Amino acid sequence: MKFYFFHLMPYQDIDPDFLETNKSSWINLPNTYYDPKKGAKLYHRYLDEMELADELGFDGVCVNEHHQTAYGMMPSPNVLAGALSRRLKKATIGVIGRALPIVENPLVIAEEFAMIDNLMEGRFIAGFVRGIGCEYHASMTNPGFSHERFREAHDLIIRAWSEPGPFEFYGKHYHFQYVNIWPRPYQSPRPPIWIPSQGSTETVEFAAHPDRKYTYIITFSPVASVKNNLKAYRDQCEVFGYECPPDQLGWAMPAYVAETDEIARKEAAVHIESLFNKFIMSPPQYKLPPGYSSLSSYKAVMEGKYKVRQNYLTCDALIENGMFLCGSPSTVVEKLEEYQAEMGFGNIAPMLQFGTLPADLTEKNLRMFANEVMPKVRHLGVTPEVVAAE
Amino acid sequence: MAAHTSKRMTIAGCEIELLQGGAGPALVFLHGAGGAQSWMPYMDRLAEHYTVYVPSHPGWGRSDTPDWLDGMGDLAYFYLNFLDALGEDEVHLVGNSLGGWLALEIAVRSTARIQTLTLVSAAGIHLAGVPKGDIFLWDDDERVYNTFFDRKLAEARLAKQPSEEDADIALKNHFSTAKMAWHPRFYNPVLQKWLHRITVPTLIMWGDSDKIFPPAYGDAMHKLIPGSTLTIVPECGHLPHQEKLDDFIAGVTAHTARHDTRHNSGAAS
């Protein structure tokens, strides 16, 4: 199993009562809540945490993209990947991912990812997402074209990486006379690709396709739905006529490890609750703009997930439904063994900093996870023969 | 209630629903974001004076959502075909909100079939420094409250429990609205350069308390369309034809009567 420390980089110094006068921590939460002096310190602290993960033996570190929110300070994850690229000795960088549809020129993403891949001499994972609904309000990208633009931008980037340039590309949304990116990616024909998802059928079919075989990462989901979604992906691979290897499956979840289950809960509770009840908070119409999903999935999500999220999520409830992996090393190891046996994943991307979790507890969490969990489960979910270049 | 029919009509491979009622000069009403899938009191009142046609736009109501529907330009060309196929030489064209924007997009392309134009709280232009309401960031209740001046009307609307079909149609309409109007938000930057092409008699009607497109938009449109008339309806929100039906009917009938040279029936009531 491979371990990727996934950082969301929340603006954790925010006034804790900000939701009393705002509906959302996204889109229109006034940026006067952001203090650059505090923010700058947080950036450096968070980057230090990622460098520590490298020293502790994590296989990689991951960043992602969100806009206009206290939830994460990474509107441009590639800036942070650039900052990390000269400091990481062994770890891979995963940008999981960039939101393809919300840019007007996807070649910028192809170029920047190729630059990081060169700087890292191939220790780079490219992540592609549509971006959550809030990004469509922030960028004014029409959510009704989200799927079309994702597929088209994806095709353009893949071709830009793997076909000799210059060539022309004329799509419905993107039009280029000369596609000819410099630099080309370091990895040939391209970097490995991860598709973080919350489990849509369209995404499963897209990622599992034999032409792609992208690593499918389930994020922020109760363990029951992680199981269903990873199973759906494995089943889809079978439909396509191949067996899904462990390295094509992953799970990203907040995690906290301490000396005992009780200490872990006690130390993590207020911070994990701040993530799920404050930093992630926005009304449904912020998260699901019209056209972002099909009419039928829109109705299903409104009825299902968002009704659940209207309740305050306690630390105990989050541990109970498996959205939060928390406990003593032996508890966490047992759970990972059980889940891995059942779901067959070969990657996990634990978020070992979350919400308001302070520097000292984050460091403790990183060390305990690296020293007492990773060695015990590393042998699980290893893909028998790693095929060079997918 | 006036007799009315619902029929299906196919244009450019897209089947739409067309409500029709009344007798007299032809009037086509282009609905706004919320659609017009049932016969409403304003249609009934218009039917006392006109042969009223209310099509559901492609993507709305019980009309198809065609693959070609990507923006307002597509709807405008669709309606140029529709007006050719309707069997009327000329029509009085009335559009509300997104339907008003649509009427503008049609009229800058061709006024050949348009006898008069009435724009009711029409979208379509942008006015610097006058923020519009954001129907996509409001929740369902806010959207209704911000549509009416009279809170009681909003409460009555919210008290109605929609049927499953109506709820599905409302969602479909909202999705199509986003596809047409998300970006640029409810306007076409090109349009205001060419509104001077509209030379048919134009009435612009606006609620004085419109929270979606403030009345300053009506004023701006009035300045951009040569010879147009602006009527501000007092104590009225975004839907004068629902909130101030008498003012709406009086305004439309007077406007069409003034300019209806071939028929002489518009001045009734």
Side-chain angles (χ1 to χ4, degrees), chain B residues 26-98:
Chain B
L27 182 146
V28 172
F29 185 92
L30 298 174
H31 65 73
Q37 58 274 7
S38 55
W39 190 254
M40 300 277 288
Y42 69 87
M43 302 175 195
D44 217 42
R45 291 283 301 276
L46 286 170
E48 292 170 11
H49 309 272
Y50 308 97
T51 303
V52 178
Y53 298 96
V54 187
S56 278
H57 308 328
W60 268 260
R62 293 177 201 89
S63 295
D64 291 348
T65 304
D67 288 340
W68 50 253
L69 183 62
D70 289 323
M72 289 298 280
D74 295 318
L75 280 188
Y77 288 113
F78 173 88
Y79 274 107
L80 288 170
N81 276 14
F82 168 88
L83 292 174
D84 288 343
L86 193 60
E88 302 279 0
D89 287 343
E90 283 191 319
V91 302
H92 296 295
L93 189 61
V94 183
N96 165 235
S97 192
L98 179 134

Side-chain angles (χ1 to χ4, degrees), chain A residues 198 220 280 287 305-311 323:
Chain A
Q198 297 191 359
F220 276 115
I280 219 166
K287 290 198 191 86
K305 190 149 72 177
Y306 289 163
K307 288 235 161 107
V308 174
R309 289 228 182 134
Q310 279 165 9
N311 303 323
M323 287 178 97

Side-chain angles (χ1 to χ4, degrees), chain B:
Chain B
M1 191 182 283
H4 62 275
T5 59
S6 158
K7 65 172 185 176
R8 311 288 296 178
M9 195 171 171
T10 301
I11 288 161
C14 171
E15 192 179 282
I16 61 161
E17 181 177 39
L18 177 65
L19 302 180
Q20 183 181 336
L27 182 146
V28 172
F29 185 92
L30 298 174
H31 65 73
Q37 58 274 7
S38 55
W39 190 254
M40 300 277 288
Y42 69 87
M43 302 175 195
D44 217 42
R45 291 283 301 276
L46 286 170
E48 292 170 11
H49 309 272
Y50 308 97
T51 303
V52 178
Y53 298 96
V54 187
S56 278
H57 308 328
W60 268 260
R62 293 177 201 89
S63 295
D64 291 348
T65 304
D67 288 340
W68 50 253
L69 183 62
D70 289 323
M72 289 298 280
D74 295 318
L75 280 188
Y77 288 113
F78 173 88
Y79 274 107
L80 288 170
N81 276 14
F82 168 88
L83 292 174
D84 288 343
L86 193 60
E88 302 279 0
D89 287 343
E90 283 191 319
V91 302
H92 296 295
L93 189 61
V94 183
N96 165 235
S97 192
L98 179 134
W101 175 9
L102 179 54
L104 292 171
E105 295 277 4
I106 296 165
V108 294
R109 285 165 173 80
S110 168
T111 51
R113 298 273 183 196
I114 303 173
Q115 198 175 355
T116 70
L117 185 60
T118 301
L119 305 164
V120 185
S121 348
I125 64 169
H126 176 71
L127 192 52
V130 185
K132 291 170 281 209
D134 187 353
I135 67 160
F136 298 119
L137 216 52
W138 290 335
D139 64 31
D140 293 348
D141 285 8
E142 283 173 309
R143 223 160 52 225
V144 175
Y145 281 119
N146 287 329
T147 296
F148 295 99
F149 169 81
D150 183 351
R151 216 177 150 79
K152 287 202 188 73
L153 287 176
E155 279 160 6
R157 178 69 59 97
L158 287 168
K160 276 190 203 154
Q161 200 59 13
S163 68
E164 196 180 334
E165 193 207 6
D166 284 344
D168 284 351
I169 286 178
L171 199 56
K172 173 181 174 178
N173 294 348
H174 194 50
F175 273 46
S176 291
T177 300
K179 199 150 197 189
M180 297 301 102
W182 187 271
H183 174 73
R185 187 59 53 88
F186 277 106
Y187 80 108
N188 169 4
V190 175
L191 192 57
Q192 57 209 80
K193 295 190 281 188
W194 299 101
L195 289 185
H196 59 81
R197 281 174 49 80
I198 300 175
T199 49
V200 293
T202 301
L203 168 68
I204 299 165
M205 191 181 287
W206 227 276
D208 68 346
S209 305
D210 189 332
K211 294 195 184 78
I212 298 175
F213 306 121
Y217 276 83
D219 202 41
M221 221 169 262
H222 172 50
K223 292 193 175 90
L224 288 162
I225 301 176
S228 60
T229 307
L230 175 65
T231 300
I232 299 290
V233 183
E235 299 192 333
C236 181
H238 185 58
L239 306 175
H241 55 299
Q242 294 189 32
E243 187 155 17
K244 292 288 166 125
L245 184 49
D246 290 342
D247 297 63
F248 169 72
I249 295 293
V252 173
T253 51
H255 175 57
T256 60
R258 251 193 320 274
H259 301 286
D260 196 335
T261 47
R262 291 170 310 154
H263 307 276
N264 209 13
S265 53
S269 90

Side-chain angles (χ1 to χ4, degrees), chain A residues 284-358:
Chain A
Q285 72 274 16
Y286 284 51
K287 290 198 191 86
L288 264 191
Y292 177 76
S293 52
S294 67
L295 282 165
S296 54
S297 21
Y298 181 92
K299 283 167 69 178
V301 174
M302 281 298 188
E303 283 302 308
K305 190 149 72 177
Y306 289 163
K307 288 235 161 107
V308 174
R309 289 228 182 134
Q310 279 165 9
N311 303 323
Y312 188 90
L313 291 168
T314 62
C315 178
D316 286 349
L318 290 161
I319 294 172
E320 183 68 25
N321 74 13
M323 287 178 97
F324 180 37
L325 189 58
C326 176
S328 67
S330 64
T331 297
V332 170
V333 166
E334 269 169 40
K335 282 189 185 174
L336 282 174
E337 284 170 345
E338 180 199 327
Y339 295 153
Q340 199 287 326
E342 200 173 347
M343 300 187 237
F345 50 79
N347 304 288
I348 59 168
M351 304 162 203
L352 299 166
Q353 193 288 328
F354 41 80
T356 50
L357 193 72

Side-chain angles (χ1 to χ4, degrees), chain A residues 7 126 264 371:
Chain A
H7 216 312
N371 297 331

Side-chain angles (χ1 to χ4, degrees), chain A residues 45-240:
Chain A
R45 178 197 134 190
Y46 292 157
L47 289 168
D48 287 345
E49 289 167 359
M50 302 187 91
E51 290 173 30
L52 175 63
D54 179 31
E55 287 165 28
L56 291 171
F58 282 79
D59 297 279
V61 296
C62 295
V63 289
N64 74 351
E65 170 181 349
H66 289 298
H67 298 263
Q68 300 190 181
T69 175
Y71 172 88
M73 310 195 303
M74 295 189 282
S76 175
N78 294 353
V79 169
L80 298 168
L84 287 165
S85 66
R86 300 266 300 168
R87 305 294 287 262
L88 300 183
K89 302 288 183 287
K90 288 186 186 155
T92 291
I93 292 177
V95 179
I96 58 168
R98 288 296 314 262
L100 307 187
I102 69 170
V103 295
E104 285 309 312
N105 179 3
L107 289 177
V108 171
I109 294 175
E111 290 168 339
E112 290 181 7
F113 274 3
M115 286 173 69
I116 303 167
D117 198 32
N118 276 259
L119 281 165
M120 292 297 289
E121 296 182 338
R123 283 163 26 233
F124 172 64
I125 293 163
F128 295 150
V129 294
R130 289 202 292 132
I132 64 164
C134 293
E135 321 298 3
Y136 289 76
H137 288 282
S139 67
M140 289 292 270
T141 306
N142 194 323
F145 297 114
S146 168
H147 278 292
E148 288 179 8
R149 286 169 71 97
F150 178 82
R151 293 297 293 267
E152 197 174 307
H154 161 273
D155 293 350
L156 171 60
I157 292 168
I158 297 299
R159 287 189 58 194
W161 281 346
S162 48
E163 285 181 29
F167 61 86
E168 64 173 41
F169 183 97
Y170 284 99
K172 177 176 171 187
H173 297 280
Y174 306 110
H175 322 275
F176 294 94
Q177 183 69 54
Y178 306 108
V179 178
N180 188 31
I181 62 157
W182 290 69
R184 292 194 294 123
Y186 187 91
Q187 298 175 83
S188 178
R190 55 166 175 77
I193 291 165
W194 282 16
I195 306 289
S197 169
Q198 297 191 359
S200 87
T201 319
E202 292 133 329
T203 306
V204 166
E205 283 179 22
F206 169 78
H209 192 279
D211 290 350
R212 293 183 275 271
K213 296 189 173 179
Y214 296 158
T215 298
Y216 182 64
I217 306 286
I218 293 292
T219 59
F220 276 115
S221 300
V223 74
S225 91
V226 178
K227 283 179 194 168
N228 289 340
N229 287 316
L230 294 185
K231 180 173 185 313
Y233 186 92
R234 287 199 312 271
D235 291 349
Q236 186 63 52
C237 294
E238 269 179 39
V239 171
F240 283 132

